Amino acid sequence: MNIQCIVYVTDENYFFPTAVSARQARDAASSSTDVVIVLTERFSHRDEAEDFCKSCGIILLDCSQFLAGRFDKVDRREFGARISIAAMGRLLLSDLLPEHYRQVIYIDSDTQIVGDLAALEEVEVPRGKVLAALDYMSIMEAARTGKPQSYFNSGVLKFDPTDWIGPAAFQYFSEHGGHLHDQGALNTVAGDATIFMSNRWNFPRQFLHLAEEYPTIIHFASHPKPWDGVYFPCSRRETVVYDQALKAYPSLRHFVRKVSLPRRLAYRLRSIRDRIANYLPLPRRGTDPEAIRRVVCDWRADQTALSPSRHVDAPV
């Protein structure tokens, strides 16, 4: 019985990108790490989801009933596109996952695993701590000011589920309403719990054109998404994996959600604008791209954050 897992939390609307990332994680991780997909609602195409997971060696957990009960007590009137049960479910993973897991790697659904996960698997995060990387805005602020930042992104996290900040963040969210989504709640209660790893493990797709070395996990947190088409700074390399997944697993077509034509046109215009701004020698506004590169492509934090010798009593 494995004591470590990589886990995704998703609803049916997001199952397609979840499945693609989870399949990549299963290929990239060792056999001693489970890959788990937690469902937050009843699926109309549950059989297709089960068949996919079974064929890929992925564990499927239906937690819809438990989560429905927990969220009955939460004011959801302010829930929007960025706040959903699927987004908030990560905070309750200590209740959702089997008790034998002692290390959990949480990964957002809108990601791609494009490198070896061994270094992330091998580190043991102390109880009460959470391993995370800087958020997009923190990267920009660090590049602009040259000062260290402490606001992390919740798209890739590692923690000991027996004692971590998720339940406290959920309580904070419950008391303060939907305007403060899961990432804000986690950062609010984190205090000194955060151990910062490099953005190699949670690389914002906005900076792909700046990458000196291809990261291990790419996070497509903003629109457009790579399954919507090829839009700068993404390339065919990031979009083809979804076409390949549909060819290999035709049943995943039940979970594909198409964007509207007006939105697709808007994405195309934005992509053209951003590509021109990147390649033409025009006066630049905002933060210097080289300053951003120095922040987001600095992997040195991993020398300590991902040290395999880190253990419960290690100083952080």
Side-chain angles (χ1 to χ4, degrees):
M1 183 179 293
N2 290 337
I3 61 172
Q4 176 166 251
C5 71
I6 296 168
V7 62
Y8 297 80
V9 181
T10 190
D11 53 27
E12 189 162 12
N13 187 57
Y14 240 65
F15 186 77
F16 176 48
T18 303
V20 173
S21 184
R23 182 68 178 86
Q24 291 177 326
R26 183 64 283 165
D27 287 342
S30 70
S31 60
S32 60
T33 297
D34 290 338
V35 177
V36 179
I37 296 178
V38 171
L39 306 184
T40 63
E41 64 183 11
R42 295 188 180 277
F43 278 29
S44 57
H45 294 285
R46 172 64 181 267
D47 290 344
E48 287 83 357
E50 287 183 342
D51 289 344
F52 169 80
C53 290
K54 185 176 181 180
S55 67
C56 297
I58 296 168
I59 299 169
L60 194 67
L61 293 181
D62 185 348
C63 298
S64 56
Q65 186 172 354
F66 173 85
L67 287 170
R70 290 299 298 270
F71 277 85
D72 278 346
K73 303 175 183 178
V74 175
D75 184 354
R76 294 166 57 188
R77 288 176 298 178
E78 297 182 55
F79 273 37
R82 295 190 64 190
I83 308 176
S84 65
I85 292 180
M88 298 302 299
R90 79 192 75 184
L91 305 182
L92 301 175
L93 283 171
S94 52
D95 295 321
L96 302 178
L97 293 171
E99 294 182 354
H100 59 83
Y101 290 125
R102 289 294 175 263
Q103 291 284 294
V104 171
I105 301 171
Y106 167 82
I107 301 179
D108 264 0
S109 298
D110 54 350
T111 56
Q112 288 185 23
I113 317 301
V114 294
D116 189 354
L117 293 174
L120 188 57
E121 292 179 88
E122 291 168 3
V123 62
E124 181 179 351
V125 179
R127 296 184 64 193
K129 301 294 185 178
V130 59
L131 189 65
L134 285 177
D135 183 62
Y136 171 86
M137 293 306 298
S138 292
I139 293 168
M140 295 295 289
E141 187 67 10
R144 185 182 69 84
T145 65
K147 297 179 180 179
Q149 302 296 312
S150 60
Y151 190 90
F152 61 85
N153 184 273
S154 61
V156 180
L157 306 169
K158 185 169 185 179
F159 52 88
D160 182 335
T162 62
D163 180 20
W164 85 293
I165 63 174
F170 185 81
Q171 181 64 31
Y172 189 91
F173 169 83
S174 300
E175 294 174 355
H176 293 81
H179 66 285
L180 191 64
H181 54 87
D182 63 295
Q183 181 170 289
L186 282 167
N187 274 274
T188 299
V189 304
D192 62 355
T194 313
I195 302 169
F196 279 96
M197 59 184 171
S198 79
N199 283 99
R200 177 175 194 159
W201 308 96
N202 187 352
F203 198 93
R205 67 102 186 163
Q206 296 95 323
F207 305 132
L208 273 176
H209 61 300
L210 301 177
E212 297 172 322
E213 179 182 347
Y214 213 58
T216 301
I217 301 176
I218 306 172
H219 190 182
F220 303 93
S222 62
H223 293 281
K225 305 295 188 179
W227 54 89
D228 294 331
V230 182
Y231 303 104
F232 183 84
C234 295
S235 66
R236 182 65 179 162
R237 177 176 182 176
E238 287 78 48
T239 61
V240 70
V241 297
Y242 300 97
D243 296 332
Q244 292 171 341
L246 290 174
K247 290 179 181 178
Y249 307 97
S251 63
L252 288 179
R253 294 188 182 278
H254 293 288
F255 304 102
V256 175
R257 303 292 182 264
K258 298 292 187 179
V259 297
S260 65
L261 179 59
R263 178 168 291 188
R264 191 177 296 276
L265 291 174
Y267 290 162
R268 180 63 58 194
L269 290 174
R270 184 194 307 175
S271 176
I272 293 171
R273 179 200 64 192
D274 292 345
R275 189 180 298 274
I276 291 173
N278 181 68
Y279 290 110
L280 289 184
L282 299 174
R284 296 185 181 273
R285 295 180 179 179
T287 306
D288 178 13
E290 288 304 315
I292 297 173
R293 191 200 311 272
R294 287 193 293 270
V295 175
V296 75
C297 297
D298 186 354
W299 304 155
R300 288 176 297 177
D302 295 339
Q303 296 174 9
T304 53
L306 300 187
S307 171
S309 63
R310 179 182 291 280
H311 55 83
V312 173
D313 299 318
V316 296

